[in-house]
Amino acid sequence: MSLFAIAFVGKQNSGKTTLLEKLIAELTKRGCNVGTLKHHGHEGFDFDIEGKDSWRHAQAGSRFTVVSAPDKIAMVRQLDAPEDATNTLAAMVALSTAGSSQGTQPLDIILVEGYRNSGLPTIELFRAANPADAKRELGTEGNKIIAVVTDMPRISTQAQAQGLCCFDYDAIGELASFVEEFCAQPM
């Protein structure tokens, strides 16, 4: 499989994170090296812990902080403007490829959570239990839709009418096969 990125978009509480957890596990079980990119739409998130060295470095003014341990690495880069998905994905690919010379396998696929309007191939999510999805229409997230995950008959009907593959939230094996086949297509 050549490296490829697919975005999973939907309103808050549409099940993106839960679906991706299951899909990552399934693809990994099949031997795929998966990377993920999560879009966080609000400023000011931290994943390093207040008072720890990396946090203290950033507080002192470091614009790019890296924490490296024998089994993992984490990076935090301060931005002057929002970074688009294309640049972030390119950096992930470059880091993945560079790591392969040190015994780390390069990524086969990057699953992107969010990033509406990124231009990436997109799997759109609609959940019946999510009030934000009640009146939302298929194709309003701004990306090139390649498939839909839903438990809403109205959306399933629209997807099928547009020739899109449609999956239930529990059809993880079928969704993983679709993702693998889509990524295997020549670009």
Side-chain angles (χ1 to χ4, degrees):
M1 182 184 317
S2 61
L3 181 67
F4 212 86
I6 296 177
F8 289 75
V9 300
K11 295 294 183 189
Q12 183 177 6
N13 297 318
S14 63
K16 295 180 300 292
T17 301
T18 302
L19 180 80
L20 284 175
E21 284 178 303
K22 294 175 183 177
L23 183 58
I24 292 162
E26 178 64 24
L27 289 168
T28 300
K29 184 175 80 176
R30 295 178 181 202
C32 186
N33 292 311
V34 180
T36 59
L37 170 58
K38 164 74 170 119
H39 184 251
H40 183 75
H42 308 286
E43 289 184 14
F45 84 93
D46 282 316
F47 71 85
D48 55 346
I49 301 168
E50 184 173 343
K52 291 293 187 179
D53 294 350
S54 60
W55 181 86
R56 292 170 60 193
H57 294 181
Q59 296 306 302
S62 175
R63 302 282 296 157
F64 199 119
T65 304
V66 177
V67 178
S68 180
D71 62 338
K72 65 176 96 174
I73 190 168
M75 298 175 214
V76 178
R77 191 176 98 202
Q78 303 299 319
L79 300 174
D80 295 320
E83 183 91 2
D84 71 12
T86 305
N87 291 338
T88 305
L89 290 168
M92 289 178 74
V93 170
L95 290 169
S96 167
T97 304
S100 66
S101 66
Q102 298 154 353
T104 303
Q105 294 293 317
L107 297 174
D108 295 316
I109 186 168
I110 300 173
L111 303 178
V112 179
E113 183 176 338
Y115 274 107
R116 294 180 179 102
N117 300 310
S118 66
L120 294 170
T122 298
I123 297 177
E124 199 166 351
L125 283 71
F126 290 83
R127 174 170 250 138
N130 187 8
D133 285 337
K135 295 185 179 186
R136 188 165 69 96
E137 294 297 322
L138 181 62
T140 59
E141 295 297 323
N143 291 345
K144 178 187 176 246
I145 301 171
I146 59 170
V148 177
V149 175
T150 189
D151 59 358
M152 299 172 65
R154 171 180 70 86
I155 299 299
S156 294
T157 301
Q158 288 177 16
Q160 291 168 357
Q162 294 180 33
L164 298 170
C165 291
C166 193
F167 301 93
D168 187 71
Y169 279 89
D170 294 326
I172 300 302
E174 292 88 351
L175 182 59
S177 293
F178 174 83
V179 166
E180 286 180 317
E181 289 171 21
F182 186 83
C183 292
Q185 295 175 15
M187 294 193 218

